[in-house]
């Protein structure tokens, strides 16, 4: 096994992962409540970019809180899925399988 080649490949893969993380800041995930009264946009890195709340939800604090919890959780789930899929693809692209290293890039 060529150790220097492996180290170079690892460094290259780490750079690709960092580049992918930066790109994921520009990938937007839109989610909304089933009735469209609450809309949320996140990046694929799970940073909230915008929240739009219909005025009718402002009359009932508990209802608004419920809407936020449900819709945010759905948006975070989608963003996490995109994030993990993209980063896994980069990490596995050129790396040989080394026992115990499969969780290195998470």
């Amino acid at each position: 096994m060529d150790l220097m080649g492996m180290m170079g490949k690892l460094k290259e893969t780490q750079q690709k992962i960092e580049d992918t993380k930066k790109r994921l800041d520009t990938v937007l995930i839109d989610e909304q409540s089933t009735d469209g009264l609450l809309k949320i946009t996140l990046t694929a890195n799970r940073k909230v970019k915008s929240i739009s709340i219909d005025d009718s939800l402002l009359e009932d604090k508990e209802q608004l809180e419920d809407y936020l919890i449900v819709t945010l959780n759905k948006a975070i789930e989608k963003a996490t899925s995109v994030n993990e899929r993209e980063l896994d693809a980069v990490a596995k692209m050129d790396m040989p399988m080394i026992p115990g290293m499969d969780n290195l890039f998470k």
Side-chain angles (χ1 to χ4, degrees):
M1 180 180 342
D2 175 18
L3 190 56
M4 291 306 288
M6 290 278 295
M7 293 305 288
K9 193 60 107 172
L10 181 60
K11 190 170 180 77
E12 181 181 317
T13 300
Q14 286 174 324
Q15 184 59 51
K16 286 181 183 178
I17 287 171
E18 289 306 311
D19 293 345
T20 300
K21 285 180 180 178
K22 287 178 187 168
R23 184 178 58 77
L24 290 173
D25 274 333
T26 67
V27 175
L28 300 179
I29 309 296
D30 294 313
E31 186 60 59
Q32 65 179 4
S33 58
T34 52
D35 56 11
L37 297 178
L38 177 72
K39 297 175 183 171
I40 295 174
T41 301
L42 302 179
T43 69
N45 282 327
R46 298 173 296 272
K47 298 238 185 334
V48 177
K49 295 303 264 183
S50 70
I51 296 176
S52 172
I53 301 169
D54 187 270
D55 288 342
S56 65
L57 290 176
L58 299 177
E59 298 165 12
D60 185 341
K61 180 179 184 267
E62 284 184 19
Q63 181 185 20
L64 175 57
E65 289 169 347
D66 289 344
Y67 268 66
L68 283 166
I69 290 168
V70 170
T71 309
L72 273 168
N73 282 333
K74 287 195 305 186
I76 291 168
E77 189 175 301
K78 282 183 180 179
T80 298
S81 177
V82 169
N83 184 287
E84 289 176 352
R85 189 172 55 243
E86 292 288 322
L87 290 176
D88 283 350
V90 171
K92 293 176 183 173
M93 193 179 328
D94 296 322
M95 290 301 295
M97 290 310 296
I98 301 171
M101 302 269 295
D102 51 343
N103 290 322
L104 182 65
F105 300 110
K106 292 193 175 190

